[in-house]
Amino acid sequence: MRVVTLDTVPFHALAYTVGSAMTATLPFLRATVNALPDGLEAIIATGDLQGVVRGAGDARSEKLLGEAVAAELSVLRSRGELPPKEKTAVLLTGDLQPSADVDDVRRVWFALGETCRWVAGVAGNHDAFGCEPRGTEVWESLGRPNLHFFDDRVEPIGSVLIAGFSGTIGYPGEPWARTEPEFTAALGRLAARSPDLLLSHDGPNVAGTELAGWPSVRRALEAAAPTLLFRGHDPWPTPLATLSNGTQVVNVEGRVVVLTQGAGERGDGWPCGGRRHRG
């Protein structure tokens, strides 16, 4: 799957609160791809949803930002701006807790799982799942067949092959922390499996730019066949970049990207179903 266009001007936005008072806005961006997997008309990718949405004068109506995104998807669907639930999937790149502390993010996974056909995602360095941070235990803690957690594995979901690696390059003892050699080797190994989609929280930089990340991870990805990587963790001013081998990187840190198939586009292996920023 290849991104053909990715808007830089939001078509929708969601206001939220960070900390006790600071407000921010979560942008929703439209993108087009050359093809989508069988049965899907949209893939929604997001990450680093660190905040809450508070109802006017009612503390009981406070939602985690990720829960509010799930509710917002239903609103957009009711307006005809998104396809039906059974034709929509969600990709998560981690850090779905309301602050910089470690917190249980299963509420967000469950909420999004109610609004789409399936969810595939990885853990960020602040995410907890009510269990020890190991892949099998996390998947069991989610406990729903349409929720797919990835940590150093490759799995087909329907007709799309997805790979994912959780966590960040960080200090020993931090949640989901990996050494630089471990993280780099894992992303390179997963990319070598030629997945249709690759998910990570941390990720590569982009040579010759100020787009932050790890040069070692970039080099490992550039040594493999081209793929489509969704990542978060580092704020990028632009959501889309292309590495030297043709791998596209979509950065969804603090944004929601809605991918649909462009008119007249056809991909390799999937049946046929905007423009502005081309990768």
Side-chain angles (χ1 to χ4, degrees), residues 29-48:
L29 306 177
R30 289 200 183 277
T32 62
V33 293
N34 63 332
L36 286 170
D38 292 350
L40 293 182
E41 294 181 3
I43 294 177
I44 298 161
T46 188
D48 297 87

Side-chain angles (χ1 to χ4, degrees), residues 9 20 56-57 62-63 111 116 119 133 145 182 185 231 236:
V9 177
S20 59
E62 179 176 286
K63 294 184 176 73
C116 69
V119 176
E182 179 186 10
R231 63 155 299 187
W236 286 7

Side-chain angles (χ1 to χ4, degrees), residues 20 30 64 124 162 175 180-181 203 232 238:
S20 59
R30 289 200 183 277
L64 300 182
I162 299 179
E180 185 175 352
T238 181

Side-chain angles (χ1 to χ4, degrees), residues 1-3 33-34 91 163 195-199 225-230 240-241 246-250 259:
M1 189 164 74
R2 302 287 297 171
V3 175
V33 293
N34 63 332
L91 305 176
D196 299 306
L197 303 175
L198 178 58
L199 307 176
T227 189
L228 177 57
L229 171 67
F230 291 86
L240 178 64
T247 285
Q248 292 181 307
V249 183
V250 179
L259 302 108

Side-chain angles (χ1 to χ4, degrees), residues 8 30 45 116 124 139 144 147 154 159 192 199 203 225 235 245 250 259 264 268 271:
T8 55
R30 289 200 183 277
C116 69
W139 201 345
R144 300 185 185 183
L147 303 181
V154 183
S159 64
L199 307 176
N245 69 327
V250 179
L259 302 108
D268 297 324

Side-chain angles (χ1 to χ4, degrees), residues 97-246:
Q97 80 301 328
S99 67
D101 297 324
V102 177
D103 206 350
D104 195 328
V105 297
R106 286 176 294 175
R107 286 166 54 187
V108 175
W109 280 74
F110 295 153
L112 288 166
E114 291 295 322
T115 68
C116 69
R117 184 171 176 174
W118 51 259
V119 176
V122 295
N125 54 308
H126 296 292
D127 292 345
F129 295 84
C131 60
E132 291 298 318
R134 291 187 292 271
T136 302
E137 287 83 352
V138 170
W139 201 345
E140 291 174 351
S141 78
L142 292 171
R144 300 185 185 183
N146 72 327
L147 303 181
H148 304 267
F149 178 77
F150 285 80
D151 184 34
D152 200 10
R153 70 187 187 90
V154 183
E155 177 200 356
I157 303 178
S159 64
V160 59
L161 186 65
I162 299 179
F165 194 68
S166 292
T168 61
I169 296 172
Y171 296 103
E174 292 181 342
W176 303 102
R178 318 298 178 122
T179 66
E180 185 175 352
E182 179 186 10
F183 195 99
T184 298
L187 263 288
R189 182 173 63 249
L190 292 172
R193 298 282 299 274
S194 296
D196 299 306
L197 303 175
L198 178 58
L199 307 176
S200 69
H201 182 60
D202 209 344
N205 76 333
V206 180
T209 77
E210 296 183 355
L211 301 180
W214 295 90
S216 59
V217 176
R218 169 178 51 80
R219 290 191 291 268
L221 291 171
E222 289 175 334
T227 189
L228 177 57
L229 171 67
F230 291 86
R231 63 155 299 187
H233 190 60
D234 290 308
W236 286 7
T238 181
L240 178 64
T242 304
L243 304 184
S244 66
N245 69 327

